[in-house]
């Protein structure tokens, strides 16, 4: 899974930091540091199972999880 998929792209902080332009040139280490620095940048909900990591709300995926 790409680190970019953990970043919410609709948040005010994402836009304020102009991350759309900056992310393509950032290293993985820089992206991890950024994610760790501000919880408002992390896409939610985040669910980690033994088989998979679910990032963001996708109705069909979550329906399957609750069956």
């Amino acid at each position: 899974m790409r680190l970019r998929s953990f970043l919410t792209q609709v948040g005010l902080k994402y836009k304020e930091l102009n991350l759309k332009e900056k992310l393509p040139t950032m290293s993985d280490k820089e992206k991890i540091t950024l994610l760790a620095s501000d919880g408002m940048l992390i896409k939610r909900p985040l669910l980690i199972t033994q088989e998979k990591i679910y990032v963001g709300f996708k109705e069909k995926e979550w329906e399957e999880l609750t069956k």
Side-chain angles (χ1 to χ4, degrees), residues 3-44:
L3 287 171
R4 186 177 184 141
S5 63
F6 287 95
L7 279 160
T8 184
Q9 297 178 19
V10 295
L12 294 175
K13 194 73 162 187
Y14 182 90
K15 293 174 185 173
E16 180 183 300
L17 295 173
N18 195 27
L19 292 177
K20 182 177 182 180
E21 300 297 321
K22 293 178 181 176
L23 281 176
T25 60
M26 291 175 74
S27 69
D28 283 351
K29 184 176 181 177
E30 289 172 317
K31 291 173 188 175
I32 290 168
T33 300
L34 182 66
L35 282 166
S37 73
D38 192 334
M40 295 302 292
L41 292 172
I42 299 172
K43 188 181 288 187
R44 292 185 275 287

Side-chain angles (χ1 to χ4, degrees), residues 42-57:
I42 299 172
K43 188 181 288 187
R44 292 185 275 287
L46 180 65
L47 175 65
I48 302 170
T49 68
Q50 289 182 353
E51 296 84 28
K52 189 173 179 182
I53 298 174
Y54 299 89
V55 180
F57 181 73

